[in-house]
Amino acid sequence: MSWFIRKEKGINTPTEMKREAPDGLWYQCPNCKKITATREHKLNAYTCPHCNYHEKVGSDVYFELLFDQNKFTELDADLTSGDPLNFVDTKAYPDRIKATQAKTGLKDAVRTGHGKMNDVKVVIACMDFNFIGGSMGSVVGEKIARAINYSLKHKQPFLMISKSGGARMMEAGFSLMQMAKTSARLALLSEEKIPYISLLTDPTTGGVTASYAMLGDFNISEPEALIGFAGPRVIRETIGKDLPKGFQSAEFVLEHGFLDFIVDRKDLKDKLSSLLTMLK
Ligand SMILES: [Zn+2]
């Protein structure tokens, strides 16, 4: 079948001709199971046009959604984790970091940068769940602290987008210290009267909820995001009672006074920039 073998090499499509989300690819919503063209789903800010399910997305998507023309300067892009405890579980921690970096193209579970959002200067830190469950270790804490320093120095508002399973077990106590470090920096931001907005996305739990995610001048969330400290199973077993319906959803948390408002991802940029303009 020689006619079936490609003899000539070099029939490649240049990168600029490749479309990021070509027509003919489909996205199936895990919530309502309905089908949407990938392209339409992307244009809809990765929310389902049928049921408004907000797909989990990474820092690349949030930066593209929020920064004008996707233009921003990334801060501390090359900061990577050490192995302070020589931690080994099913594999050694440095090997796990290397493997995750190779798989995700990320250096750690948060990216930080500054740019403009509808012409308002802003510093954004956004977590990536794909990187070891968005866990908060020394690098996450340090990058957030440094991004807050940038906010302080340049008097620009700070936006934190959280998405995390909590502290990073492989760094144990070092992870927990990040809660204190980031909270202390946020207190300085508050003293300088520089606005801090915290956006909680699905899921935001553990030490992240217990520190910077709940310390915003405004704590806001995407619809139906899971927000909590310990997981529902752990709580149920501890208190020996069934939990109320919708427990730990953004809507439940809002109703009980822990959130200021819930924002649809499609409106996120406009809502945030008008809020920051009002706070100026
Ligand atoms: Zn759906």
Side-chain angles (χ1 to χ4, degrees):
M1 298 266 269
S2 64
W3 49 268
F4 200 66
I5 298 165
R6 180 181 283 177
K7 286 181 184 163
E8 287 178 35
K9 281 184 181 164
I11 310 174
N12 289 318
T13 314
T15 311
E16 62 269 21
M17 282 181 69
K18 284 182 190 162
R19 275 201 250 161
E20 259 183 78
D23 292 325
L25 287 182
W26 304 92
Y27 163 83
Q28 186 179 28
C29 172
N31 185 46
C32 70
K33 314 286 178 214
K34 286 187 181 154
I35 305 275
T36 313
T38 307
R39 208 174 147 71
E40 191 192 342
H41 188 239
K42 188 190 171 192
L43 289 173
N44 221 22
Y46 299 91
T47 63
C48 174
H50 307 287
C51 72
N52 205 26
Y53 172 78
H54 282 48
E55 183 60 77
K56 289 186 183 66
V57 291
S59 57
D60 53 339
V61 170
Y62 283 104
F63 285 169
E64 193 180 345
L65 275 175
L66 296 177
F67 284 123
D68 296 343
Q69 292 93 42
N70 198 18
K71 268 199 268 178
F72 62 95
T73 309
E74 190 162 350
L75 298 164
D76 307 300
D78 291 323
L79 208 61
T80 56
S81 185
D83 182 19
L85 303 173
N86 300 316
F87 193 93
V88 182
D89 48 69
T90 50
K91 53 173 113 164
Y93 182 43
D95 296 340
R96 185 177 297 282
I97 291 278
K98 265 189 222 126
T100 312
Q101 284 174 340
K103 196 177 76 189
T104 60
L106 298 160
K107 296 282 187 200
D108 212 291
V110 74
R111 283 170 71 218
T112 55
H114 62 90
K116 284 182 178 174
M117 182 171 68
N118 286 336
D119 275 331
V120 181
K121 282 185 183 166
V122 64
V123 183
I124 304 180
C126 181
M127 300 190 76
D128 278 291
F129 198 78
N130 286 344
F131 200 98
I132 319 185
S135 52
M136 172 187 55
S138 313
V139 171
V140 168
E142 182 63 20
K143 281 178 88 167
I144 292 172
R146 290 189 193 184
I148 299 169
N149 282 356
Y150 187 93
S151 277
L152 281 165
K153 195 172 165 203
H154 298 272
K155 303 218 174 299
Q156 292 175 13
F158 180 58
L159 168 66
M160 179 76 227
I161 303 173
S162 296
K163 186 185 284 292
S164 174
R168 188 170 298 170
M169 295 308 149
M170 302 81 167
E171 292 185 33
F174 290 92
S175 294
L176 299 182
M177 282 183 225
Q178 309 311 313
M179 297 166 67
K181 179 163 77 184
T182 51
S183 303
R185 297 295 164 96
L186 287 171
L188 296 177
L189 212 56
S190 171
E191 271 175 28
E192 293 296 316
K193 301 201 180 338
I194 299 167
Y196 167 42
I197 298 175
S198 171
L199 171 69
L200 294 87
T201 69
D202 186 47
T204 299
T205 60
V208 170
T209 311
S211 60
Y212 52 82
M214 279 295 183
L215 290 173
D217 298 314
F218 287 86
N219 297 323
I220 64 177
S221 164
E222 288 187 346
E224 289 177 31
L226 175 89
I227 298 168
F229 181 65
R233 186 181 55 82
V234 174
I235 300 175
R236 194 181 297 121
E237 284 171 9
T238 307
I239 63 172
K241 276 185 185 169
D242 269 332
L243 299 164
K245 196 168 173 280
F247 180 69
Q248 293 187 326
S249 69
E251 289 71 14
F252 186 92
V253 177
L254 174 76
E255 205 181 305
H256 290 79
F258 288 94
L259 287 178
D260 293 291
F261 57 89
I262 292 172
V263 58
D264 193 296
R265 195 184 291 150
K266 297 181 281 299
D267 307 327
L268 184 61
K269 185 175 181 176
D270 288 343
K271 282 251 169 92
L272 286 173
S273 54
S274 58
L275 182 59
L276 288 177
T277 308
M278 274 194 282
L279 295 172
K280 262 187 189 172

